[in-house]
Amino acid sequence: IGVTLLLRGDRTVEDRMDSFVSTAPAATRAATDRSLGNIVSSARQMLNSASGVLYSEKVFRKLSGANWQITVSEYFIIRYVGALLIFLAVGLITGNLITGLVLAFLFYVLPELLLRRAIAQRRSAFQEQLVDVLVLMIGSIRAGHSLIQAIDVVVQDMPPPASEEFYRVKREVELGLPITQALVNFSDRMENEDVDIVVTTIDINTRVGGNLTVMMNEVVETIRERSRLLNEVRSLTSYARYTSYLLTSLPAIAAGILYLLNPEYFDSLINNPNRIILIGIP
């Protein structure tokens, strides 16, 4: 029993609920083969049960923020096992362990880079939708809907990622979480200051009461002013930022041009492992 509990690992309430909380309405999911889906689902369940010790709350939040439909255990297995297989395959095929090690390292860091890129793109897309989402919620509340009904209107009328994230909030509330806690989980996934303001406003209104539409109108105006100032700062600092990008990449560009023009110039550097190590030392 102790070994089984160790392999299963510790699970938080949010992790146990994740199997019931989908990030998109059922009507928008593509139809799949039930028999094949059951086999894949059973295999994934066995794999996750055996590797539960790999669970990480931080990685779980990242996967939720990127809307990747894999578990934390599967994410780690892809990185570790994939890197090991590439190292063994390249080492056996080419006989060069250094090349295999380099390619394995690149494969190991690639999922993390793709995950961060997916998170950044999703958060940027949500930021562009945030004002429209709040205006839609304000209109729904003014029409007599409750807050959870206004969230349902957002799920039905807004495109992803806003509809997916608010559908997750709706499902968590349906499964028994307080709406304030579901919104806090939503804020943790987004890691957005504007979302924090919205969640704090709703939390204060839930605790002490008041006119929610008036409060959210003020929040919308605040977010619009913040966005305007941020765009203005970006335009004023664009020259300095792109200059820094050019100066940072200039040594690598110059080295590449020199290598194409005179390959023998770099032979003494490339053929000496000790000098290659020195390149990575800052």
Side-chain angles (χ1 to χ4, degrees):
I1 294 175
V3 172
T4 302
L5 293 175
L6 178 63
L7 291 177
R8 289 178 62 186
D10 187 19
R11 287 293 184 268
T12 62
V13 175
E14 290 81 2
D15 183 36
R16 294 195 298 270
M17 291 176 61
D18 187 58
S19 59
F20 301 97
V21 180
S22 175
T23 55
T28 62
R29 300 176 200 159
T32 56
D33 186 4
R34 291 184 178 273
S35 60
L36 179 61
N38 291 334
I39 295 175
V40 174
S41 178
S42 300
R44 291 182 63 183
Q45 186 175 3
M46 293 175 59
L47 180 65
N48 290 315
S49 298
S51 58
V53 71
L54 298 176
Y55 180 78
S56 169
E57 182 69 23
K58 182 178 179 180
V59 177
F60 173 74
R61 290 183 178 180
K62 287 184 178 180
L63 293 174
S64 298
N67 196 29
W68 281 16
Q69 302 301 316
I70 60 175
T71 63
V72 176
S73 300
E74 292 169 351
Y75 174 74
F76 280 119
I77 289 172
I78 290 173
R79 295 185 69 182
Y80 292 122
V81 176
L84 178 61
L85 292 177
I86 286 181
F87 173 73
L88 295 176
V90 175
L92 292 176
I93 294 174
T94 65
N96 191 334
L97 296 180
I98 296 179
T99 303
L101 186 62
V102 171
L103 293 178
F105 175 77
L106 292 177
F107 183 87
Y108 175 78
V109 301
L110 182 62
E112 180 68 18
L113 296 177
L114 294 177
L115 179 60
R116 292 182 180 181
R117 183 171 180 269
I119 293 174
Q121 289 180 340
R122 185 175 175 82
R123 289 175 179 172
S124 177
F126 182 83
Q127 178 66 34
E128 295 178 356
Q129 295 177 315
L130 182 57
V131 173
D132 294 334
V133 167
L134 295 179
V135 171
L136 184 59
M137 291 179 64
I138 292 172
S140 299
I141 294 173
R142 282 178 175 171
H145 293 169
S146 64
L147 179 58
I148 192 64
Q149 289 174 329
I151 290 176
D152 187 55
V153 171
V154 173
V155 172
Q156 299 298 326
D157 294 345
M158 291 297 296
S163 60
E164 296 172 345
E165 289 298 330
F166 279 95
Y167 181 78
R168 189 182 180 97
V169 172
K170 176 187 171 184
R171 286 291 294 158
E172 289 181 351
V173 173
E174 291 174 349
L175 290 171
L177 280 183
I179 189 170
T180 53
Q181 182 60 47
L183 290 172
V184 168
N185 295 339
F186 160 61
S187 177
D188 291 339
R189 290 193 300 271
M190 290 292 101
E191 294 185 4
N192 185 300
E193 293 182 357
D194 294 336
V195 175
D196 292 341
I197 295 175
V198 175
V199 172
T200 302
T201 301
I202 296 176
D203 183 51
I204 293 174
N205 178 265
T206 303
R207 294 175 185 271
V208 302
N211 193 328
L212 182 58
T213 57
V214 174
M215 298 172 67
M216 292 187 69
N217 271 326
E218 294 297 327
V219 171
V220 169
E221 292 301 321
T222 301
I223 293 175
R224 283 174 174 166
E225 287 299 316
R226 283 166 54 88
S227 178
R228 183 184 63 81
L229 290 175
L230 181 59
N231 291 333
E232 185 176 350
V233 171
R234 284 178 176 174
S235 64
L236 293 175
T237 59
S238 61
Y239 175 78
R241 286 188 290 109
Y242 284 105
T243 301
S244 67
Y245 298 155
L246 177 61
L247 293 178
T248 302
S249 60
L250 193 58
I253 296 174
I257 294 175
L258 288 175
Y259 180 76
L260 293 175
L261 296 177
N262 188 8
E264 293 79 8
Y265 183 78
F266 286 90
D267 286 344
S268 60
L269 176 64
I270 297 176
N271 296 329
N272 191 326
N274 295 328
R275 296 178 181 177
I276 295 177
I277 296 175
L278 290 176
I279 297 176
I281 299 177

